[in-house]
């Protein structure tokens, strides 16, 4: 069972880091605030959740429970933060992306 958890943890870690790397490139390359916010959603959502979920490989109850709390916190706060950033950009006057 330990080997299965190690493989699952490793796969989740690699997937999460891959998603966050793609999101980082997107944030750096996208021209406008809204496009960057879209790319950031990939890192804040599935990327962080996959990295935190990879803690199942530790088989330590405390570590897994802290990761679960972190996942819940990310799921609850990520949409609120994205909305606040988009609202601030709209108030600032970023109606469209400069292309």
């Amino acid at each position: 069972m330990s080997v299965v958890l190690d493989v699952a943890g490793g796969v989740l870690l690699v997937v999460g880091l891959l998603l966050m790397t793609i999101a980082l490139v997107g944030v750096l390359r996208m021209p406008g605030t809204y496009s960057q916010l879209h790319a950031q959603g990939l890192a804040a959502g599935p990327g962080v959740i996959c990295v935190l979920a990879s803690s199942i490989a530790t088989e330590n109850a405390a570590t897994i429970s802290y990761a679960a709390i972190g996942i819940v916190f990310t799921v609850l706060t990520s949409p609120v933060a994205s909305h606040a950033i988009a609202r601030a950009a709209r108030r600032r006057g970023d109606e469209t992306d400069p292309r």
Side-chain angles (χ1 to χ4, degrees):
M1 187 65 179
S2 178
V3 175
V4 174
L5 289 177
D6 286 341
V7 170
V11 168
L12 283 171
L13 186 63
V14 169
V15 168
L17 292 177
L18 182 67
L19 287 174
M20 289 197 295
T21 302
I22 292 169
L24 174 68
V25 171
V27 167
L28 294 176
R29 302 272 309 186
M30 294 291 173
T33 305
Y34 299 121
S35 297
Q36 291 173 352
L37 193 59
H38 178 73
Q40 175 268 336
L42 180 65
V48 171
I49 289 171
C50 284
V51 169
L52 288 172
S54 70
S55 69
I56 61 168
T58 62
E59 297 181 22
N60 184 353
T63 305
I64 294 171
S65 62
Y66 285 137
I69 291 170
I71 289 171
V72 170
F73 182 75
T74 301
V75 167
L76 293 176
T77 60
S78 180
V80 175
S82 296
H83 181 77
I85 293 169
R87 188 172 181 187
R90 184 167 184 257
R91 284 186 177 182
R92 189 176 64 188
D94 292 349
E95 291 296 331
T96 60
D97 288 334
R99 291 185 189 235

